């Protein structure tokens, strides 16, 4: 999980039980918490959804490991220091042991060894979806993946599918085998697959946007690839991750999220949003793509020789090796 989300759970005792939590987000979601070290003032709506409704039942799953951290020898994050410097610095002051962001812990090292597969349509091992991407104009494809285990309602999914199809935008959609939802097919503008090599797809030059559920691994992959994100969070840490993407980093737009499950985003709204999001002439899109490339450079610098994550990993390996030698 990101350092910010860990810090929220670690400092949960600062959140008075009879004060902010539990709360009805539809009534108090705009209230802000401004006293967690390293975390700027944040709306209750932008906290992980373990403080309200069904999410409250899973809260113990996060609080238990957070409560045990004081007994640890190291605190490692799959994050990048430059992406969360304030909260990581605050945690370093809190603990007497090393706090080390080592991210992004994504399979970027596989890209270099097989880079030809992403661009050479004639290689016999190239997957059909990469061949399809190779035939599309640069930055024209919206890659859509909504995670591996959480889903929106069937009614909302119907609106999303119709909205994307009506937008006229090219898309590659990972639908976890639910291709029956696309009864009328996608025509020449879209491709639906049950699985793909996500990082390789995101790094493909034809991909110009990423509709994501904002899971942390997917978020880091989007940053690494330098691709703007259309944030559509569902649960847990996806909510604050979405805030990072849209508000803090300014490398994405948000799909409107209601506080009640009955509030659907309509196909008309989705079609308009998707069309604007993928419009290369839109001034806001141009600025967003510029910021995404800047953050990509930050991320890649962290894993380069001497970068923050590279140095932290070297330090960690050196330290535990010395301990083993004693």
């Amino acid at each position: 999980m990101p350092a910010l989300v860990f810090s929220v759970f670690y400092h949960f005792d600062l959140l008075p039980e009879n004060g902010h939590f539990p709360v009805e987000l539809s009534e108090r979601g705009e209230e802000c918490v401004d006293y967690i070290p390293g975390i700027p003032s944040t709306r209750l709506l932008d906290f992980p959804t373990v403080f309200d409704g069904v999410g409250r039942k899973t809260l113990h799953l996060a609080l238990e490991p957070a409560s045990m951290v004081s007994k640890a020898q190291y605190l490692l994050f799959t994050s990048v220091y430059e992406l969360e410097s304030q909260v990581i610095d605050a945690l370093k002051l809190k603990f007497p042991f090393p706090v080390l962001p080592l991210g992004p812990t994504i399979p970027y090292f596989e890209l270099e060894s097989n880079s030809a597969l992403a661009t050479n349509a004639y290689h016999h091992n190239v997957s059909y979806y990469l061949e399809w991407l190779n035939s599309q104009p640069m930055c024209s494809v919206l890659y859509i993946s909504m995670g591996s285990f959480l889903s929106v309602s069937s009614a909302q999914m119907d609106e999303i599918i119709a909205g994307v199809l009506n937008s006229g935008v090219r898309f590659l959609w990972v639908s976890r085998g639910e291709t029956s939802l696309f009864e009328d097919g996608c025509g020449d503008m879209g491709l639906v697959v049950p699985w793909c090599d996500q990082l390789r797809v995101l790094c493909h030059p034809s991909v110009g946007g990423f509709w994501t559920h904002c899971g942390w691994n997917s978020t880091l992959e989007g940053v690494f690839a330098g691709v703007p994100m259309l944030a559509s969070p569902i649960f847990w840490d996806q909510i604050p991750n979405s805030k990072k993407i849209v508000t803090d980093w300014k490398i994405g737009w948000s799909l409107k999220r209601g506080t009640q499950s009955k509030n659907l985003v309509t196909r008309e709204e989705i079609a308009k949003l998707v069309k604007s999001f993928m419009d290369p002439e839109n001034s806001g899109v141009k600025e967003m793509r510029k910021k995404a490339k800047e953050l990509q450079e930050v991320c890649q610098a962290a894993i380069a020789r001497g970068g923050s994550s590279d140095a932290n990993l070297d330090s960690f390996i050196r330290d535990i090796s010395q301990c083993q030698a004693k």
Side-chain angles (χ1 to χ4, degrees), residues 131-144:
E131 291 186 3
W132 183 83
L133 284 175
N134 290 339
S135 68
Q136 307 305 314
M138 182 173 292
C139 294
S140 67
V141 176
L142 175 65
Y143 171 63
I144 304 172

Side-chain angles (χ1 to χ4, degrees), residues 75-280:
L75 180 56
L76 309 180
F77 287 110
T78 61
S79 188
V80 178
Y81 172 77
E82 289 79 3
L83 299 183
E84 298 195 275
S85 59
Q86 286 185 315
V87 67
I88 290 171
D89 285 343
L91 290 171
K92 286 181 177 181
L93 295 174
K94 176 74 65 173
F95 299 116
F97 46 76
V99 177
L100 303 173
L102 306 176
T105 51
I106 57 176
Y108 56 83
F109 48 85
E110 295 180 4
L111 293 177
E112 296 181 0
S113 60
N114 296 294
S115 59
L117 296 183
T119 55
N120 183 1
Y122 302 103
H123 195 291
H124 69 280
N125 286 329
V126 174
S127 299
Y128 67 98
Y129 56 83
L130 290 177
E131 291 186 3
W132 183 83
L133 284 175
N134 290 339
S135 68
Q136 307 305 314
M138 182 173 292
C139 294
S140 67
V141 176
L142 175 65
Y143 171 63
I144 304 172
S145 177
M146 299 184 184
S148 56
F149 68 97
L150 293 172
S151 298
V152 298
S153 67
S154 58
Q156 182 63 82
M157 182 59 73
D158 288 342
E159 294 300 304
I160 292 173
I161 292 172
V164 171
L165 291 174
N166 293 342
S167 73
V169 165
R170 292 176 173 85
F171 63 89
L172 173 61
W173 193 319
V174 176
S175 187
R176 290 180 288 171
E178 300 167 354
T179 54
S180 61
L181 295 173
F182 300 83
E183 295 178 354
D184 298 327
C186 305
D188 297 331
M189 297 296 288
L191 183 65
V192 181
V193 298
W195 180 90
C196 75
D197 185 337
Q198 178 166 285
L199 186 58
R200 182 162 281 115
V201 165
L202 286 171
C203 290
H204 195 285
S206 292
V207 173
F210 179 18
W211 183 321
T212 174
H213 66 305
C214 305
W216 187 235
N217 286 338
S218 288
T219 298
L220 289 177
E221 289 185 350
V223 172
F224 179 87
V227 177
M229 290 175 254
L230 190 55
S232 180
I234 301 172
F235 190 64
W236 200 258
D237 68 322
Q238 298 170 9
I239 309 303
N241 294 345
S242 172
K243 176 183 178 293
K244 279 184 170 293
I245 292 167
V246 176
T247 305
D248 299 343
W249 300 335
K250 295 179 172 54
I251 60 170
W253 290 356
S254 179
L255 187 73
K256 184 178 67 176
R257 179 171 62 92
T259 56
Q260 303 294 330
S261 59
K262 64 182 180 181
N263 292 345
L264 295 181
V265 186
T266 67
R267 61 190 63 192
E268 292 80 12
E269 293 173 302
I270 291 169
K272 182 179 179 181
L273 178 65
V274 167
K275 188 174 182 178
S276 296
F277 181 72
M278 293 299 293
D279 180 4

Side-chain angles (χ1 to χ4, degrees), residues 9 48-61 235-236:
F9 293 134
T49 51
V50 293
F51 303 119
D52 182 45
V54 177
R56 187 82 178 175
K57 298 178 182 178
T58 63
L59 181 58
H60 68 282
L61 297 175
F235 190 64
W236 200 258

